[in-house]
Amino acid sequence: MADKKRVYLFREGNATMRDLLGGKGANLAEMTNIGLPVPPGFTITTETCNEYSDTGVLPCGLWEEVLAALADVEKDMGKKLGNAQNPLLVSVRSGAKFSMPGMMDTVLNLGLNDKSVKGLIEKTGNERFVYDSYRRFVQMYGDVVMDLKPKDKHQIDPFEEIIERKKKERKIKSDIDFTAADLKELVEEFKAEIKKDTGKSFPDDPMEQLWGSVGAVFRSWMNDRAEVYRKLNNIPVEWGTAVNIQSM
């Protein structure tokens, strides 16, 4: 329905709204409204998860609500998602009515691309930190959203395989020994592996990154881990999960 509200800024919710906002979203809203320094963000409702589970597509009108909420967060932070000079980064996390730790998926550092990394390097003065964040984002997005992961317990994670190969090339033993140049190379190698395995390119458009991540987190409500956890803890599937999008 066009008039159904599916997105709530943190300041619009409260602790009584666990059914609609999930436990994490309701708690973030409550902390925001009592004046704690919570990084700005918004929550997509559990009802939206059920709509997505029923149809397999994100509902009409949701994107417009997300864009409006994102604009509010950008204003609060004084940053803009994907901006080359002053980039905003966000996390995309699940949040069911009751905690299900580690059962569903998360995407961090969303908003990084080849342009926004330059702005973040200028802001932080730390090239290595920025490229380490970028390679972690590409790895996480490739796994969670693009499904590039081991298909069974006998397979090696494709991203870890690339990392181990790079360590051997550089004759190092730990990830912390990678230079900024090494990490920049890993970003490109990760993207190439995603393209080779999935036939799709890693998206540079932060809006495409965001939309893909929202769908992936909703899908994770039905993954094998989550289903087993719900059965063990008598959590009804119709409760769904919220999605929390928060500035980093």
Side-chain angles (χ1 to χ4, degrees), residues 62-174:
L62 176 62
W63 185 233
E64 289 74 15
E65 284 194 70
V66 167
L67 289 179
L70 177 63
D72 193 285
V73 172
E74 289 175 332
K75 183 179 179 180
D76 279 354
M77 293 295 292
K79 301 177 180 181
K80 191 171 181 63
L81 194 69
N83 186 273
Q85 285 75 44
N86 193 22
L88 172 72
L89 304 184
V90 299
S91 60
V92 183
R93 300 176 185 269
S94 62
K97 182 177 178 180
F98 292 111
S99 178
M100 294 174 56
M103 298 301 107
M104 290 177 285
D105 289 327
T106 292
V107 178
L108 305 176
N109 296 322
L110 189 147
L112 284 173
N113 58 26
D114 291 343
K115 293 181 179 179
S116 62
V117 293
K118 296 176 182 177
L120 195 58
I121 289 169
E122 289 186 11
K123 285 282 184 181
T124 64
N126 191 333
E127 185 182 26
R128 190 193 180 283
F129 162 73
V130 174
Y131 275 109
D132 191 38
S133 299
Y134 193 12
R135 70 96 178 172
R136 290 174 188 274
F137 168 52
V138 175
Q139 181 175 354
M140 189 173 288
Y141 192 95
D143 179 311
V144 170
V145 183
M146 305 187 78
D147 202 34
L148 180 52
K149 63 185 70 176
K151 300 303 185 281
D152 59 58
K153 64 182 181 180
H154 304 294
Q155 287 187 321
I156 300 173
D157 182 281
F159 296 109
E160 292 301 324
E161 189 171 14
I162 293 170
I163 288 172
E164 290 306 312
R165 185 167 65 239
K166 180 71 69 179
K167 286 179 183 176
K168 289 181 181 178
E169 290 173 3
R170 296 291 185 264
K171 295 182 173 57
I172 59 177
K173 293 184 178 181
S174 174

Side-chain angles (χ1 to χ4, degrees), residues 232-246:
L232 290 173
N233 292 276
N234 298 312
I235 297 174
V237 67
E238 58 267 23
W239 281 358
T241 182
V243 171
N244 298 289
I245 297 166
Q246 186 174 20

Side-chain angles (χ1 to χ4, degrees), residues 5-87:
K5 185 173 175 62
R6 297 185 176 95
V7 176
Y8 289 77
L9 291 162
F10 291 163
R11 66 173 179 269
E12 296 178 314
N14 59 63
T16 70
M17 299 172 68
R18 293 178 68 92
D19 288 353
L20 190 63
L21 303 181
K24 188 178 298 177
N27 289 335
L28 286 166
E30 187 71 15
M31 289 189 292
T32 297
N33 286 312
I34 64 174
L36 293 179
V38 177
F42 55 93
T43 300
I44 305 175
T45 66
T46 58
E47 291 178 348
T48 310
C49 178
N50 289 330
E51 291 181 82
Y52 182 70
S53 297
D54 289 343
T55 64
V57 295
L58 293 167
C60 292
L62 176 62
W63 185 233
E64 289 74 15
E65 284 194 70
V66 167
L67 289 179
L70 177 63
D72 193 285
V73 172
E74 289 175 332
K75 183 179 179 180
D76 279 354
M77 293 295 292
K79 301 177 180 181
K80 191 171 181 63
L81 194 69
N83 186 273
Q85 285 75 44
N86 193 22

Side-chain angles (χ1 to χ4, degrees), residues 168-187:
K168 289 181 181 178
E169 290 173 3
R170 296 291 185 264
K171 295 182 173 57
I172 59 177
K173 293 184 178 181
S174 174
D175 290 8
I176 62 173
D177 295 320
F178 283 133
T179 65
D182 293 334
L183 294 165
K184 187 175 181 179
E185 288 178 10
L186 282 175
V187 168

